[in-house]
Amino acid sequence: MTTMTQKLTFEEYLAYDDGTDTRYELVDGELVPMSLGTGKHGAIIRFLVRQFEDALAQSGQPWVPLPALVGVRSPRGRNWDTSRIPDVTVLPLAQWEAMSDSLSETLREREAVINLSEPPPILVVEVVSPSTKTDDYRSKRAEYGLLEIPEYWIVDPIEEKITLCLLEHQLYDSTEFRGADLIQSSTFPDLNLTAAQVLAGKL
């Protein structure tokens, strides 16, 4: 993945607009363009959002799953800021509505960012691609742990596995699921999905 060399502060990142529909994460002050989420990657994201929506409709929990619409400011780095945009973010509906209401009409949805002083998401998902594999398994895992995000899914269609990480004292304990394994989620305990279904992006 190509990383732009221009260094930005967090505030400059929030206001950044290059006139295109490209979405960027901010990593140590540098803009990193995100993939378009097409093909299998996009299918997995759409599938998980639908499954989470169905589970929430049944449980009545006032949460909302969002596909790559919410940034999460990261504690990474000393001199330059980092802000990640998970492929799927689950957060309280009231928190999302408050973020949406506060956005200026001139800003695009990517500027909806959970700041360090705000409650973290309930769950985040990253779908691995060849260009993001190291970040998804290492950097983001460490950052999301420090942010105290209770549950982190690493969906890896390359290795054909799902790594489910549950928070324990700012570190994640992880379990791998493959094939016909039923995913065991603390956030969605009644979710009846196998690893194969998630990786295929369909039931």
Side-chain angles (χ1 to χ4, degrees):
M1 179 178 292
T2 302
T3 303
M4 300 179 67
T5 57
Q6 180 184 9
K7 288 276 190 179
L8 299 180
T9 66
F10 183 68
E11 291 71 23
E12 288 171 336
Y13 164 70
L14 294 182
Y16 182 79
D17 187 351
D18 61 3
T20 73
D21 291 329
T22 304
R23 302 174 72 83
Y24 297 95
E25 290 187 322
L26 185 70
V27 181
D28 292 332
E30 296 185 355
L31 293 171
V32 179
M34 298 180 65
S35 62
L36 296 177
T38 55
K40 180 175 283 189
H41 189 277
I44 291 170
I45 293 170
R46 290 191 295 271
F47 176 76
L48 281 175
V49 169
R50 288 196 300 268
Q51 295 303 313
F52 291 161
E53 286 175 340
D54 290 346
L56 291 170
Q58 293 180 20
S59 70
Q61 288 280 14
W63 304 339
V64 59
L66 299 164
L69 290 177
V70 177
V72 181
R73 192 173 182 181
S74 168
R76 166 178 171 156
R78 296 181 179 178
N79 300 319
W80 293 96
D81 282 297
T82 292
S83 183
R84 303 293 191 176
I85 303 177
D87 288 319
V88 180
T89 302
V90 178
L91 71 162
L93 179 59
Q95 186 178 9
W96 169 240
E97 289 175 342
M99 293 169 67
S100 300
D101 291 344
S102 69
L103 289 177
S104 164
E105 292 182 359
T106 62
L107 296 180
R108 293 183 291 175
E109 287 178 323
R110 71 156 188 267
E111 281 79 28
V113 176
I114 298 173
N115 217 324
L116 295 174
S117 60
E118 298 170 333
I122 297 161
L123 180 151
V124 294
V125 178
E126 297 287 5
V127 181
V128 175
S129 62
S131 62
T132 66
K133 187 171 185 176
T134 300
D135 272 350
D136 292 339
Y137 277 103
R138 299 183 65 180
S139 302
K140 292 181 182 180
R141 177 169 173 157
E143 292 167 33
Y144 293 158
L146 287 173
L147 288 169
E148 298 188 342
I149 298 174
E151 188 166 326
Y152 171 36
W153 292 27
I154 306 171
V155 179
D156 190 341
I158 302 169
E159 299 290 335
E160 297 185 346
K161 67 179 181 180
I162 295 169
T163 304
L164 195 152
C165 305
L166 296 176
L167 191 67
E168 185 69 32
H169 303 299
Q170 292 190 326
L171 295 173
Y172 285 120
D173 292 331
S174 63
T175 306
E176 291 185 359
F177 300 91
R178 298 176 181 267
D181 294 340
L182 278 174
I183 297 170
Q184 306 294 317
S185 169
S186 292
T187 305
F188 295 101
D190 297 324
L191 200 65
N192 189 29
L193 288 177
T194 67
Q197 289 170 330
V198 173
L199 291 165
K202 60 184 179 181
L203 295 176

